Amino acid sequence: MSSIIDPQLKLYYDQLEVTFLLAFTLVVGGTFYFNRDIRRNNKQGNLNVVISIFLGLLSGTLFFFVIAVLCGAPATDKHYQTALWSALQALFCFVPLFLMYGSNFKVIHDIYILGAIRSSAQNFIYLSGLCSIFGSIVGTFFIPLDANKLWQEWPITVFGGSIIGYLFGSLLWCMNCGKIISK
C-alpha cells in the first residue's frame, strides 16, 4: 500500500517530524531541567519520568486527535499527519503537567478548565499551552486560502501556528516574569 506523494510535500512532512523531535527535546528537557520539584520528587528514578512522558503524550495525543477529527481534520488519508500534530499539542499542553504532577487529571482540569493557577510553573504551562492551541486555530485559517500551494497542506500551517503560539505564550510568561496573573 504505497501511495505516491509529491517529493516537496514529503520534504515538508519530514521537516515536521524533525521539528517535533526538536520540540520534544526542548520541552521535556527544559521542563525537567528548570523545575527543581520534578528532580526533588523523583524518588523512583528515571522510570517515573519516562512513564509520565509516555502517559502525557498518549492521553494528550488521543484527546487532540479526536478533537481534530471532530473539527474536520482528515482522519483516513492523513491520519499520520493528524497524529503528529496531536502529539505536538500533547507535548505542549499535557507532558509538562504529567512531568510535574503525574497523571493527576484534577490538576489538568483546574489549570485548563477552571484557570486556577497556583504557581509560576502552572502559569507557564497555562499560557504556553493555551497560546499553542490558539496558534493552531489561527493556523487553520491559512489552509483554504489558495489550495494549490504545498505549504497549505494539512497540518503544515496548523503545526507552525502551534509552535508560534507556544513561543508567544512563553514570551508572555517571560514578560510577566512568571507572576501569577490575577483573575
Side-chain angles (χ1 to χ4, degrees):
M1 183 173 139
S2 67
S3 62
I4 298 173
I5 286 184
D6 184 358
Q8 287 182 323
L9 191 57
K10 178 157 179 16
L11 181 64
Y12 277 119
Y13 292 153
D14 291 344
Q15 290 172 350
L16 293 182
E17 292 170 351
V18 170
T19 304
F20 172 78
L21 292 175
L22 180 63
F24 178 84
T25 304
L26 292 174
V27 169
V28 171
T31 303
F32 188 75
Y33 182 75
F34 289 112
N35 196 330
R36 286 174 275 165
D37 294 336
I38 295 172
R39 293 192 308 271
R40 190 176 326 125
N41 296 336
N42 187 13
K43 295 176 177 58
Q44 297 174 347
N46 291 335
L47 182 62
N48 189 29
V49 172
V50 171
I51 290 171
S52 294
I53 293 169
F54 176 75
L55 288 175
L57 271 177
L58 180 66
S59 61
T61 300
L62 290 173
F63 174 77
F64 284 115
F65 188 87
V66 168
I67 296 294
V69 169
L70 290 176
C71 289
T76 55
D77 59 339
K78 294 189 178 185
H79 59 277
Y80 176 74
Q81 290 84 358
T82 303
L84 187 62
W85 170 79
S86 300
L88 182 74
Q89 280 302 119
L91 178 67
F92 290 156
C93 298
F94 282 67
V95 171
L97 282 173
F98 274 69
L99 276 172
M100 289 181 62
Y101 302 105
S103 59
N104 187 352
F105 288 101
K106 182 181 179 340
V107 174
I108 295 171
H109 178 265
D110 288 350
I111 291 175
Y112 285 122
I113 304 298
L114 300 179
I117 301 166
R118 295 179 181 89
S119 69
S120 177
Q122 287 181 357
N123 189 26
F124 176 77
I125 291 168
Y126 176 75
L127 284 174
S128 60
L130 213 55
C131 286
S132 74
I133 292 169
F134 182 71
S136 294
I137 293 169
V138 170
T140 61
F141 297 144
F142 295 100
I143 293 174
L145 290 179
D146 192 8
N148 60 355
K149 301 287 185 191
L150 284 178
W151 63 270
Q152 291 173 304
E153 289 283 326
W154 170 261
I156 296 169
T157 59
V158 179
F159 211 89
S162 179
I163 292 171
I164 291 169
Y166 180 81
L167 294 174
F168 182 73
S170 301
L171 181 66
L172 279 177
W173 181 81
C174 288
M175 288 174 27
N176 199 23
C177 298
K179 295 179 211 160
I180 298 173
I181 297 174
S182 60
K183 302 256 178 207

